[in-house]
Amino acid sequence: MRTAILVWLTLQNSIHTLLIRYSRSREVEHMFLSTVAVFFTELMKCVICLGFILRDETPKRFLGALLDQVVRQPYDTLKVCIPAMVYILQNNLFYVAASHLDAATFMITSQLKIFTAAIFTVIILKRSLTRTQWFALFILFAGVSMVQLQSSKSDSAGPDGQKPFVGFIAVVIACCLSGFAGIYFEKILKGSAPVSLWMRNVQMGVFAIPSSFAAVMWQDGKVVQEYGLLYGFDWVVWLTVLWYCIGGLSVAVCIKYADNIAKNFATSVAIILATVGSMVFFSFQPSALFTLGAALVIFSIFMYSSSQSLVLLFRRMAKSDCLV
Ligand code: C5P
């Protein structure tokens, strides 16, 4: 189950990045509003989660469960308010980043998540990391910076209006938010009341749907009032929204059955796939610096995971020695 989810997440992530990039870079009369895309994603996620809950319950018990776990336990529902809000901000920033960076650079800089997730794992979950693992994270950071150097060498505004620096700042902030929200959600999911994953996501939706709508009105209110909510939406945008929704739920499942750090490894492997895709679809030419940076990122992933496996192996060996 764990491996299947990790493999699925890898594929999902590579297609996702290419899809956002494609929906942003095509020649269209009206560009869709990314805040609206985030709003519809949250709405869709909530509907799908309600569907999963309904699948396991009769309609009467379904309403009872919703009342019990969402309305009658306001403190428990309130707990997911923080990751829900943080995810909304993060999702909006990732759209900004994806439209200002090429797909492969976006994928690789997004890997800063692994660093922030590790820091919050230590702070919030109070788990320790080995020295090798921290070193691996440093190599990861160096690799990501090299990749960034390539895109900042180009003009501040690229030929199609891309601003790599803006994209980079957005991705860095989004990664900090991602690390925090992911670990916080993991703590809630694994540590407190036995509330199902789908119900947790419905609880998140209670905050995420209104706040993402507030973000639409705050940022793009004028355009929405003039042209409507579905301004610039076509089947490609709907597909991107659906894919983002599936991705979000896959992340949630991955946090449940594995953890945030394992989830980030899966998405790292997606870099290679996105690079290949980017070369084919967007005529992206990787420079030597980009290639070196990407190689370092991938090397650090192996270093981090092998250190973890070694620690597990030593622990198992020590345990079996004690038993003998
Ligand atoms: O990889 P990263 O941590 O950035 O992915 C987070 C994504 O997963 C966000 O889009 C967030 O909305 C989604 N998510 C979700 N439900 C959860 C946890 C995350 O939809 N329970």
Side-chain angles (χ1 to χ4, degrees):
M1 181 81 169
R2 191 183 141 108
T3 314
I5 287 168
L6 292 173
V7 170
W8 161 248
L9 202 65
T10 306
L11 285 175
Q12 191 281 329
N13 252 266
S14 353
I15 297 173
H16 173 69
T17 309
L18 294 172
L19 216 77
I20 294 192
R21 186 80 189 91
Y22 175 64
S23 61
R24 275 279 175 213
S25 66
R26 93 222 118 101
E27 297 276 324
V28 283
E29 210 178 321
H30 304 294
M31 185 51 74
F32 73 98
L33 303 167
S34 55
T35 51
V36 178
V38 172
F39 166 70
F40 277 116
T41 307
E42 293 307 323
L43 203 62
M44 225 183 246
K45 259 193 281 192
C46 202
V47 171
I48 293 177
C49 290
L50 286 172
F52 274 116
I53 300 171
L54 193 59
R55 191 194 55 171
D56 300 333
E57 307 277 4
T58 58
K60 202 175 159 197
R61 279 180 42 190
F62 165 74
L63 282 177
L66 278 184
L67 276 177
D68 278 349
Q69 294 184 341
V70 181
V71 183
R72 292 199 189 111
Q73 295 189 40
Y75 174 68
D76 198 57
T77 305
L78 213 62
K79 266 200 279 190
V80 297
C81 165
I82 298 169
M85 303 295 203
V86 174
Y87 272 136
I88 292 300
L89 193 56
Q90 175 204 327
N91 290 341
N92 278 294
L93 284 172
F94 272 134
Y95 264 105
V96 174
S99 46
H100 285 293
L101 298 170
D102 62 78
T105 308
F106 170 71
M107 267 317 248
I108 291 188
T109 45
S110 303
Q111 294 316 303
L112 273 172
K113 273 185 214 168
I114 206 173
F115 200 54
T116 57
I119 292 173
F120 286 113
T121 297
V122 173
I123 299 173
I124 300 178
L125 298 181
K126 311 236 176 313
R127 283 185 207 146
S128 57
L129 298 180
T130 64
R131 237 182 256 171
T132 315
Q133 285 175 321
W134 282 116
F135 185 57
L137 292 176
F138 175 74
I139 294 184
L140 170 73
F141 190 75
V144 170
S145 308
M146 278 182 193
V147 170
Q148 174 51 27
L149 271 180
Q150 159 168 313
S151 63
S152 56
K153 262 192 214 154
S154 52
D155 288 341
S156 58
D160 59 347
Q162 280 193 337
K163 293 181 186 137
F165 186 69
V166 172
F168 185 62
I169 297 294
V171 90
V172 168
I173 299 175
C175 285
C176 294
L177 299 177
S178 158
F180 172 75
I183 300 297
Y184 199 96
F185 184 74
E186 189 175 336
K187 190 178 162 76
I188 293 174
L189 196 66
K190 294 178 177 169
S192 54
V195 177
S196 80
L197 177 67
W198 309 121
M199 195 60 91
R200 281 284 178 221
N201 266 58
V202 171
Q203 289 178 330
M204 289 229 281
V206 169
F207 301 101
I209 294 169
S211 53
S212 56
F213 189 71
V216 172
M217 296 319 276
W218 185 53
Q219 205 176 307
D220 299 307
K222 273 190 190 149
V223 184
V224 169
Q225 269 166 12
E226 202 169 337
Y227 300 102
L229 211 53
L230 295 180
Y231 178 74
F233 265 61
D234 61 7
W235 70 271
V236 178
V237 182
W238 279 117
L239 192 65
T240 312
V241 166
L242 178 69
W243 204 246
Y244 212 135
C245 161
I246 294 173
L249 295 177
S250 311
V251 165
V253 175
C254 199
I255 294 177
K256 181 177 162 81
Y257 290 101
D259 58 41
N260 270 282
I261 296 181
K263 175 210 78 181
N264 287 337
F265 284 132
T267 51
S268 307
V269 180
I271 300 166
I272 302 162
L273 300 178
T275 310
V276 174
S278 212
M279 278 146 76
V280 175
F281 297 117
F282 305 116
S283 44
F284 169 70
Q285 295 285 328
S287 69
L289 198 61
F290 179 92
T291 313
L292 182 62
L296 281 181
V297 168
I298 290 155
F299 173 68
S300 75
I301 293 162
F302 286 113
M303 194 172 182
Y304 187 99
S305 49
S306 60
S307 162
Q308 206 172 33
S309 328
L310 281 179
V311 170
L312 282 177
L313 193 72
F314 283 135
R315 277 200 195 137
R316 263 182 220 147
M317 278 163 61
K319 235 186 205 170
S320 59
D321 273 356
C322 287
L323 289 176
V324 171

